Amino acid sequence: MKFSNDNGALIAKRQGETLRIEAWGKNAFRVRTTMYPEFTGRNWALTPNSEDDPGALNRFKADAAVEAKDCSSNTIISITSREDGPFAEIKNGRVKATVNFAGVITYYKDDKMFLREYFRCYGGTESKESRCLKYINRDYRPHVGGDYRITQKFESNDGEKIFGMGQYQHAYTDLKGCILDLEQRNSQVSVPFAVSSLGYGFLWNNPAVGRVTFGNNYTEWVAESTKELDYWITVADTPKEIVENYTEVTGRSPEMPDDLLGLWQCKLRYRTQEEVLKVAHDCKEKGVPIDCIVIDFFHWTVQGDWKFDKTYWPDPKAMVDELHSMGIKVVVSVWPTVDKRSEHFYDMQEKGLLVKNERGGLQNYDFEGDCTVFDATNPEAREYVWEVCKKNYYDLGIDMFWLDNSEPDLVKYDFDSLRYYMGPALEVSNIYPQYYSRVFYDKMKKLQDKPVVSLLRSAWAGSQKYGNVVWSGDVPSTFEALRDQVAAGLNMGLAGISWWTTDIGGFMTDDVNDPDFRQLLIRWYEFAVFSPILRIHGDRGPYNIPALDDRNFGGGYLHTGQDNELWSYGEDNFKIMKDQLNLRHELKPYIKSLFEETSKNGSPIIRTLFYEFPEDKKSWEVYDEYMFGDKYLVAPILELDQFEREVYLPAGKWEDIRDGKVYEGGQTITAKAPIESIPVFKRQ
C-alpha cells in the first residue's frame, strides 16, 4: 500500500486500485475508489444547489473548509507504519477514518468506532473472526469490455436501527434486516441515504442500479455497473444534525408558495375544459377552496405530442385565464413517453434524443401506444421537450407540471437493455427522474420570479433542490397500502425529500360505493391533512362511463374514473372532509413555517418520533405515529373499523386538539378515533 496526501485528501494505491478520502462538509468524508487511471469527476448528488457548475461546488468546498477552521477541525492526515505494514488516518472534525495496509477502512466518531469494512481474508483482516473465507471489502467484477460490478461490504452492528433510503412499499420504517433494490419503479423511489441510530449518515453516491442488504451478519451495497465506488459519510449527535449535514452538501428544498398549502384537486381524468371549469365553479359554490386543479393524462392527442387535444380543449388559454380569475392554479400532466405516431417521434429519433435500446425493438412502454421515452439525461433532449411544452403549455399560463411516469415507467424494468446519453441504464438510470424534473425547473426558474414546483412520481438523492413534490405512486386503495405510505413518507423525509404526498384514498379503487372504501378514503384524508401536500386523486371504479368518441387516439376515447370531488362520497363524508379542510387552513401559518424550516436545515415535515425525541428510547421503536413538525403528534388510523387506538406520548404535556384535554407524556394512552377525526396532540 502506498499512501500520500493530495492537498488534504488521503490517497491510497494498491494492486491497481486508487482510494481517495477527503473532507466534504461538516464532520464528513467523501470516499471514492476506482480501478481506472482517473476518477470520472462526476459529483452526482453532491451538489449543494441547483446549478451543477464547478464554480458553485468549489465555492461550497471553500465555505466548508472555512467552517471547519472556525470549529478548530481542520483536516488532519497522518501516515505511519504498524507491525503489519503502512497505516494512515484522516480526520475532519468529529469523524476519523483509518486505512490499513490492505485498504480496510474503519470509521470513528469522537475516536469511537462505529463502522468498519467487512474483510475476511489473509493479510489485512482487522476482525478476530475467520479470515480464510477470502471475502474482501471492495470487490470489482469486470463486465466484458467495460465497467465493473462493485460490491462494498461493511461489518454489521448489533442493535443498530437504519432509516431513510427513500420510498419502498412495505411497512418497515426501521430497515435493519431489509433488502432494498436500488431501482426506480412505479411507487418505489430509491434515494440512497441512510440514517443510523448510531449517529451517522451514509449516502451511496452512485445512480447505478443495484441493491443494498442491511443484514445482521454484514451490510452489502452493490452497483451493477459503474466506473468507481463513491459514497459520503457524516457523524452527528442527533438525526436532525445528520440530515442537516446531508442536505448541506446535496441541497435543500426551495421556497414553497403559500398558496399551495391547501387542497390540490385531481381525478382520473378531466377529459374536457368544460369538465375542469365545472368542477372549479362547483368548488366555489359548495365552499370548497382549492389551490390548484390538475389536468391528468390524455388531454393530449398521442404521447409525445405534448399539447392539448383541440377536440376537447378548444381554447385552453381562456380556460386558464378563467381559473386564474378564481384564484386557482393549473397543473398539466406531462409524460416522458413518445409514441411512434407522435409528430415529434422521428425528429427526436433522428437527433438522438430518445433512449436507446441495447437489443431488440424500440418499444419500451406499451400503454395506449407503441412508445419509448425521451432521454432526459441528454441536455439537447431537455431543451427540445421544454421548447414544445413552453409553446403548448407554459405560454398559455399553465402554472405547474405533473411529471408522471418519471422513473421512467417501462414495459419491463430490464435496466440492462437501455442506454442513456450519460451511459448505460445499469450505470445511471436512478438519476433519470432528477434530470426529467430539470426540463422544467431549470428553464422556469429563469423565466419567472416565483418558485418552481413540479409533481413527480420518482426522485433521487438531491432531487429536493429542484422543486420536486414527490408522490407515492399508483398504490392500491387498501388499509395495508395506507400503512405502507406512513413508513414511506417518514423515510423519504429522512432521505432529504420533505415535499412528499400521496393519492388520498389510494390510486386503484374498484368500487367507489363500497362502504369500506369510503371509510378508507376518510382515514386517508385525515392522514393527508397532516402531510406536506394535501392532494386528492385516484382511478375510481367502476368503469361504466361511456367514451366521448370512437377514435383510437386523443382524450375522448380513453376511460375516465368516477367523480372524485369532496362531495362525491355522500353528505356525511363531505362534511367530514370539509371540516378537515377547514382544519388544514387553520394550520396554514404553522405549515408554512415547516416548509421554511426544511428550506433552512433540511428537516422533514412529517418526522419520526425519534427525530424530535432522540433521547427517548421508545421513540426509536414506535413507527405508527409521527410528528407533524415539532408541535403536533399524529396517530393515523390504519385499520378498518378501528375507532380507538393506543398512542405513545413522549415526555412533556400534550393537548388533544379535539377536546382540549391535556395528558402527561412518558406514557401510552388509549385515544378515541371516531370516523370524524384521528388522534392529534399538540405539544405544550
Side-chain angles (χ1 to χ4, degrees), residues 383-397:
E383 181 76 25
Y384 187 104
V385 173
W386 166 251
E387 288 301 324
V388 174
C389 290
K390 179 179 184 297
K391 175 184 175 182
N392 295 334
Y393 296 128
Y394 187 79
D395 289 349
L396 301 180

Side-chain angles (χ1 to χ4, degrees), residues 243 247 251-254 256 464 493 496-499 592-605 607:
V243 172
T247 55
R252 296 188 178 120
S253 300
M256 172 62 76
Q464 64 271 8
I497 309 294
S498 292
W499 292 10
K592 177 184 176 182
S593 74
L594 299 184
F595 277 96
E596 291 172 346
E597 183 183 5
T598 198
S599 296
K600 180 180 179 181
N601 62 24
S603 282
I605 292 171
R607 308 170 183 178

